[in-house]
């Protein structure tokens, strides 16, 4: 039964193929006739309809070979013994004799299955193809009738009687540059958005042949159209956005503007995937550094890229640079390839204290000159020998650094301890101790204020020793252990009583101790400063604003403490502590160190008194170019319905200032549209709006003071009346 089904399907496919072969030549002939008589657009419609008709007829004729046809064909061949109907009957409804006969017929068909496919109508197929090709050749090769052109060239009177020309069909072929990888496309619309340097081919058909035709561009450039087999053709390479229209003699009935937008090829971009930060602090003994980049481009990137590696050696003004280049091969899609490389730091000669700077450079496949894209520089800073030797002090340093920030916390603790002891302390003593805490707050505020460039209010005087908290004070007992490392790091920041702040006194011991909270010491610790040749981290504006807010809260807390009101000072002290924590966690800006590039010093001019060539450092004021009065006048005339604007002058001005206009092509389109339709009110308003956008905005002026009211005028008169 399966073999019979396959033979049946082959017969139906043979019937459909015969129908298609018989119909295709006549579809070709009909398409050629439509192309000759009605143009390309109508020919496309006819071809589509003919193919759809052939497909429908072929499907219908194939379905005519149904089950009844198969039964008749098997019975006619004698292979089924006139029992073909048993093959398609339900086996459950057959009696034993019929089932036996059915089995016998199936076995016979398996041994000798008759040919079910219809024969090829070779003669009919040959005649159809010969006839169809002959009709198509005659339709396309028959000479054109020159009567319309003769009538158009005869006299102006005959052209006027014939009426204006009309476009029958339009076709625009766009061949993008090879580097874009875009296929050639053809469209009927004359407006298009194309890649830069694309080759455009126009094919136009008129209802009758004009004497001449051309493409008129908005910059007064003309592209002639030449006739070939009834089509007017032209080619051009477009590099900049343009407006154009089709112009002919006699004139077209509708001369509308068309726009060609050009999409420029963008330069490739490179993104750093690994490392995630622009500055990476290396670990002691690091031998390798892995880099990964991703490039992207609209049309593709070349598979080879160049990795520039710069190694800095030395410090201060004795920095030397060693530059190398490595060629990398990308992987992945051409529009978004990835590049990876692992640097061998030993092979590069990188030593402790050096910087390794890497930057990837890629090129796209733009022709004839490739465009270049570079990644941001990534820096690997190897720790110096001093930093490695001091690694064992890292835990102590980490405890020491927050001491600057714990000073504000200690002030809060001291104030809270004083509040708890209020009942057991005399009023005068309470005020003195509160004032001493306020002095601590003032010293801390001044030291933080140095980061913002605030001037010192003078050397602070320490409070009397008798007023300081003793070692048995709860605050001191609680934080003696916590500040154990602070004595070592601040060298005198705490007095012998264990108080959490110094009051301007010097610490004992040999040598000059670092000043607690000084701008240079603290900034070197928290700002990671180096000399001018090295990298530095700077406080960003947001961090500076946060530190300024902390100083304001310290000022308020200090005022309350100096007046003996620690309860009112605590809210301000807590806010100051919160702001200082934000400063501690602020991000930093890393700058790559570069060598000094100072101009050479002319020793011959030193101390000579020669002032030749010296001039004032003040920059001269550049006069602002006033707007063209002719353009302003044209804008005013366009607002008057009876006024006329000089469109040629506006077109020249637009071409001269196209680089500075917000949308030069829209302004050119408005000018050309008004030129085509001089009486169009909407076109006048559109051009006027485009001119308003193109005119320079007036500079803001100082607002005049409003006139005084009656009471204010009496006051001014009274002032003038006084002797």
């Amino acid at each position: 039964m399966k073999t019979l089904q396959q033979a049946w399907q082959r017969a139906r496919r043979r019937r459909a193929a015969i129908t298609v072969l018989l119909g295709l030549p006549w579809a070709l002939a009909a398409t050629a006739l439509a192309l000759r008589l009605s143009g390309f657009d109508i020919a496309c419609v006819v071809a589509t309809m003919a193919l759809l008709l052939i497909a429908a007829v072929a499907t219908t004729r194939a379905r005519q070979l149904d089950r009844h046809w198969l039964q008749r064909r098997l019975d006619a061949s004698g292979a089924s013994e006139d029992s073909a109907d048993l093959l398609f009957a339900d086996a459950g409804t057959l009696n034993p004799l019929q089932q036996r006969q059915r089995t016998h017929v199936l076995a016979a068909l398996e041994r000798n299955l008759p040919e079910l496919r219809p024969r090829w109508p070779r003669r009919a197929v040959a005649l159809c193809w010969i006839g169809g090709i002959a009709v198509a050749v005659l339709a396309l090769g028959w000479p054109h009738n020159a009567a319309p052109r003769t009538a158009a060239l005869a006299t102006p009177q005959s052209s006027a009687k014939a009426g204006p020309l009309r476009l029958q069909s339009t076709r625009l072929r766009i061949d993008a540059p090879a580097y874009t990888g875009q296929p050639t496309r053809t469209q009927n619309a004359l407006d298009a958005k194309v890649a830069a340097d694309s080759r455009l081919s126009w094919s136009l058909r008129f209802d009758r042949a004009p004497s001449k035709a051309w493409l008129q561009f908005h910059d007064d450039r003309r592209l002639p159209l030449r006739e070939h087999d009834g089509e007017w053709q032209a080619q051009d390479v477009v590099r900049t956005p343009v407006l154009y229209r089709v112009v002919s003699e006699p004139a077209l009935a509708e001369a509308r503007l068309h726009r060609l937008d050009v999409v420029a090829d963008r330069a490739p971009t490179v993104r750093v995937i690994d490392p995630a930060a622009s500055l990476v602090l290396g670990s002691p003994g690091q031998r390798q550094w892995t880099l990964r980049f991703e490039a992207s481009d609209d049309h593709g990137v070349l598979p080879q890229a160049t990795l520039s590696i710069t190694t800095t050696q030395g410090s201060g003004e004795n920095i030397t640079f060693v530059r190398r280049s490595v060629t990398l091969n990308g992987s992945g899609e051409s529009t978004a390839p990835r590049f990876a490389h692992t640097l061998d730091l030993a092979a590069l000669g990188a030593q402790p204290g050096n910087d390794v700077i890497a930057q990837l450079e890629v090129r796209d496949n733009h022709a004839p000159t490739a465009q270049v894209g570079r990644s941001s520089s990534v820096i690997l800073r190897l720790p110096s020998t001093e930093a490695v030797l001091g690694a064992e002090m890292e835990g102590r340093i980490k405890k020491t650094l927050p001491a600057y920030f714990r000073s504000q916390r200690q002030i809060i603790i001291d104030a809270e301890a004083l509040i708890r002891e209020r009942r057991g302390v005399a009023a005068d003593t309470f005020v003195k101790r509160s004032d001493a805490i306020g002095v601590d707050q003032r010293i801390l505020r001044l030291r933080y204020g140095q980061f913002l460039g605030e001037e010192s209010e003078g050397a602070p005087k320490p409070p009397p020793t008798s007023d300081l908290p003793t070692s048995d004070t709860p605050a001191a007992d609680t934080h003696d252990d916590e500040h154990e490392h602070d004595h070592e790091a601040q060298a005198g920041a705490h007095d012998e009583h264990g108080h959490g702040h110094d009051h301007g006194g010097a610490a004992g011991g040999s040598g000059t101790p670092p000043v607690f909270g000084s701008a240079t010491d603290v900034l070197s610790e928290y700002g990671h400063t180096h000399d001018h040749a090295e990298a530095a981290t700077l406080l960003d504006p947001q961090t500076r604003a946060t530190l300024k807010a902390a100083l304001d809260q310290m000022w308020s807390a200090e005022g309350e403490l100096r007046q003996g009101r620690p309860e009112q000072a605590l809210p301000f002290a807590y806010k100051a502590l919160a702001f200082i924590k934000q400063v501690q966690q602020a991000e930093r800006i890393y700058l790559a160190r570069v060598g000094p590039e100072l101009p050479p010093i002319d020793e011959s001019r030193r101390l000579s008194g020669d002032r030749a060539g010296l001039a004032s450092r003040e920059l001269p004021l550049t006069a602002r170019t006033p707007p063209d009065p002719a353009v302003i006048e044209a804008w005013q005339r366009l607002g008057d319905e009876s006024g006329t604007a000089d469109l040629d002058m506006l077109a020249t001005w637009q071409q001269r200032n196209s680089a500075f206009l917000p949308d030069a092509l829209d302004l050119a389109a408005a000018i050309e549209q008004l030129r085509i339709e001089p009486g169009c009110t909407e076109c006048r308003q559109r051009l006027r709006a485009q001119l308003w956008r193109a005119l320079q905005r007036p500079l803001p002026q100082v607002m005049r003071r409003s006139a005084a009211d009656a009471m204010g005028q009496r006051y001014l008169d009274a002032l003038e009346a006084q002797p």
Side-chain angles (χ1 to χ4, degrees):
M1 191 67 177
K2 181 178 180 181
T3 305
L4 180 60
Q5 291 287 345
Q6 294 177 349
W8 184 17
Q9 294 300 326
R10 287 195 296 269
R12 300 180 77 171
R13 287 195 294 269
R14 174 70 64 84
R15 172 69 71 87
I18 292 173
T19 305
V20 171
L21 287 178
L22 293 175
L24 278 179
W26 302 114
L28 176 64
T31 303
L33 287 173
L35 180 63
R36 177 61 183 271
L37 298 177
S38 303
F40 179 78
D41 296 340
I42 301 300
C44 291
V45 175
V46 171
T48 303
M49 297 300 296
L51 292 176
L52 292 176
L53 180 61
I54 291 173
V57 173
T59 303
T60 302
R61 287 177 55 82
R63 289 179 177 177
Q64 289 177 355
L65 304 184
D66 53 3
R67 189 179 63 181
H68 299 289
W69 171 85
L70 181 59
Q71 293 177 7
R72 292 195 303 270
R73 185 65 181 271
L74 292 176
D75 291 340
S77 64
S80 62
E81 300 178 359
D82 294 334
S83 302
D85 55 337
L86 298 178
L87 300 177
F88 303 97
D90 187 5
T93 61
L94 300 179
N95 56 40
L97 182 61
Q98 291 175 331
Q99 292 180 359
R100 184 176 181 181
Q101 179 64 15
R102 183 174 182 271
T103 304
H104 173 72
V105 172
L106 286 176
L109 291 177
E110 290 289 341
R111 292 191 303 270
N112 185 18
L113 181 66
E115 179 63 40
L116 301 179
R117 293 178 297 178
R119 296 180 179 179
W120 287 103
R122 303 180 184 275
R123 180 176 299 179
V125 170
L127 291 177
C128 288
W129 277 97
I130 292 174
I133 293 175
V135 173
V137 170
L138 290 176
L140 298 177
W142 194 265
H144 289 271
N145 186 9
R149 180 183 299 179
T150 305
L153 297 175
T155 58
Q157 291 80 3
S158 61
S159 298
K161 291 180 181 178
L165 286 176
R166 296 184 181 275
L167 279 172
Q168 270 191 344
S169 63
T170 58
R171 184 176 58 186
L172 179 62
R173 175 175 173 173
I174 304 170
D175 295 313
Y179 72 85
T180 62
Q182 299 178 0
T184 299
R185 72 177 194 267
T186 303
Q187 61 182 37
N188 296 330
L190 297 181
D191 300 89
K193 178 181 289 187
V194 300
D197 299 328
S198 296
R199 176 170 292 278
L200 306 182
S201 301
W202 288 268
S203 297
L204 309 178
R205 280 186 176 273
F206 300 91
D207 57 352
R208 64 178 189 279
S211 59
K212 61 179 179 179
W214 66 91
L215 300 179
Q216 180 69 50
F217 294 90
H218 76 280
D219 55 359
D220 294 335
R221 184 169 61 94
R222 287 189 176 188
L223 183 62
L225 291 168
R226 294 178 174 83
E227 184 188 10
H228 178 71
D229 292 338
E231 291 187 347
W232 293 77
Q233 301 175 351
Q235 290 186 350
D236 192 23
V237 177
V238 60
R239 295 181 174 86
T240 57
V242 292
L243 295 169
Y244 72 99
R245 67 178 187 272
V246 181
V247 183
S248 65
E249 291 183 0
L252 285 171
E254 181 182 3
R256 62 181 296 266
L257 283 173
H258 305 283
R259 178 167 179 163
L260 293 176
D261 288 314
V262 176
V263 180
D265 183 20
R266 299 190 304 270
T269 59
V270 186
R271 181 173 63 92
V272 181
I273 300 177
D274 191 18
S278 59
L279 178 67
V280 180
L281 301 178
S283 57
Q286 182 174 349
R287 297 179 179 272
Q288 293 182 339
W289 189 28
T290 302
L291 301 172
R292 286 198 294 269
F293 304 87
E294 183 183 43
S296 61
D297 188 72
D298 43 5
H299 298 305
V301 179
L302 295 180
Q304 288 80 25
T306 302
L307 179 64
S308 300
I309 307 168
T310 303
T311 306
T312 64
Q313 299 176 354
S315 62
E317 296 183 356
N318 298 322
I319 296 179
T320 59
F321 298 89
V322 180
R323 293 181 173 87
R324 299 177 178 85
S325 296
V326 179
T327 301
L328 305 182
N329 293 321
S331 61
E333 299 180 358
S334 61
T335 56
R338 292 198 171 191
F339 301 87
H341 186 68
T342 300
L343 297 179
D344 187 351
L345 301 180
L348 295 175
Q351 301 295 330
N354 296 162
D355 284 358
V356 180
I357 306 172
Q359 186 182 43
L360 186 69
E361 178 181 292
V362 300
R363 298 176 181 271
D364 63 3
N365 53 11
H366 184 274
T369 304
Q371 301 181 101
V372 180
R374 296 180 179 87
S375 69
S376 58
S377 297
V378 289
I379 307 171
L380 173 65
R381 174 156 300 151
L382 299 177
S384 61
T385 305
E386 294 78 4
V388 175
L389 294 177
E392 297 179 357
M393 302 294 294
E394 182 179 0
R396 179 172 300 179
I397 292 174
K398 286 186 177 180
K399 293 182 180 180
T400 301
L401 291 179
Y404 296 104
F405 297 96
R406 282 202 301 270
S407 297
Q408 182 63 30
R409 185 180 296 108
Q410 185 65 45
I411 290 174
I412 296 174
I413 294 173
D414 293 344
E416 291 177 345
L418 181 60
I419 294 173
R420 289 194 299 268
E421 299 174 2
R422 174 188 291 273
R423 295 183 180 180
V425 179
D428 294 342
T429 305
F430 182 85
V431 174
K432 288 181 180 180
R433 291 180 59 179
S434 178
D435 180 71
I437 300 174
V439 172
D440 291 345
Q441 182 69 84
R442 173 178 174 272
I443 295 173
L444 186 62
R445 176 178 58 81
L446 293 179
R447 288 169 180 167
Y448 278 114
Q450 294 178 11
F451 299 139
L452 301 180
E454 296 184 358
E455 297 181 357
S456 176
E457 298 180 6
K461 297 181 180 181
T465 307
S466 59
D467 295 336
L468 294 175
T470 59
S471 58
D472 55 356
T473 303
D477 292 336
T478 305
H479 297 277
D480 278 341
D481 295 337
E482 182 182 1
H483 288 71
E484 179 181 353
H485 297 293
D486 299 344
H487 291 279
E488 301 176 5
Q490 300 174 23
H494 306 277
D495 53 23
E496 66 274 17
H497 297 285
H499 194 274
H501 317 279
D502 66 353
H503 299 279
S510 61
T512 303
V515 180
F516 172 75
S518 65
T520 56
D521 293 341
V522 177
L523 187 57
S524 64
E525 294 293 337
Y526 289 97
H528 192 62
T529 59
H530 301 273
D531 53 17
H532 296 291
E534 296 182 351
T537 57
L538 308 176
L539 294 179
D540 57 276
Q542 183 178 0
T543 305
R544 292 177 61 87
T546 306
L547 185 56
K548 180 63 171 61
L551 295 180
D552 294 340
Q553 298 299 325
M554 289 182 184
W555 175 271
S556 301
E558 176 190 342
E560 298 295 340
L561 289 170
R562 298 298 293 270
Q563 298 180 46
R565 297 195 295 265
E567 295 88 349
Q568 288 80 354
L570 282 179
F572 301 109
Y574 274 112
K575 291 181 181 179
L577 179 61
F579 284 129
I580 289 175
K581 287 184 177 180
Q582 295 180 19
V583 174
Q584 183 183 12
Q585 300 171 359
E587 295 182 354
R588 300 160 186 176
I589 304 172
Y590 293 92
L591 306 175
R593 59 182 180 181
V594 295
E597 299 180 0
L598 302 177
I601 300 176
D602 187 2
E603 299 289 346
S604 62
R605 297 188 58 182
R606 298 189 66 181
L607 303 177
S608 63
D610 183 11
R611 300 179 60 83
L614 298 180
S616 175
R617 293 176 178 266
E618 296 181 359
L619 297 177
L621 295 177
T622 304
R624 185 171 183 266
T625 304
D628 194 341
V631 179
I632 297 179
E633 182 181 358
W635 178 81
Q636 294 173 346
R637 287 179 176 272
L638 289 172
D640 187 3
E641 296 182 359
S642 60
T644 58
D646 189 352
L647 299 182
D648 295 334
M649 181 274 298
L650 289 178
T652 305
W653 180 82
Q654 180 270 337
Q655 296 174 16
R656 188 172 60 250
N657 299 275
S658 59
F660 309 101
L661 297 176
D663 196 338
L665 212 57
D666 281 351
L667 179 57
I671 295 173
E672 293 299 320
Q673 193 63 36
L674 185 60
R675 195 193 302 273
I676 296 173
E677 304 178 46
C680 177
T681 304
E682 184 180 353
C683 300
R684 293 171 64 91
Q685 295 301 324
R686 186 182 301 114
L687 176 56
R688 194 165 187 263
Q690 292 293 335
L691 283 178
W692 177 256
R693 293 179 58 195
L695 290 175
Q696 296 181 358
R697 298 293 184 268
L699 293 176
Q701 302 294 329
V702 179
M703 297 293 294
R704 292 183 61 87
R705 181 179 297 176
S706 58
D709 55 6
M711 181 179 295
Q713 190 62 41
R714 289 196 300 271
Y715 176 75
L716 295 176
D717 294 342
L719 290 178
E720 294 179 355
Q722 291 182 359

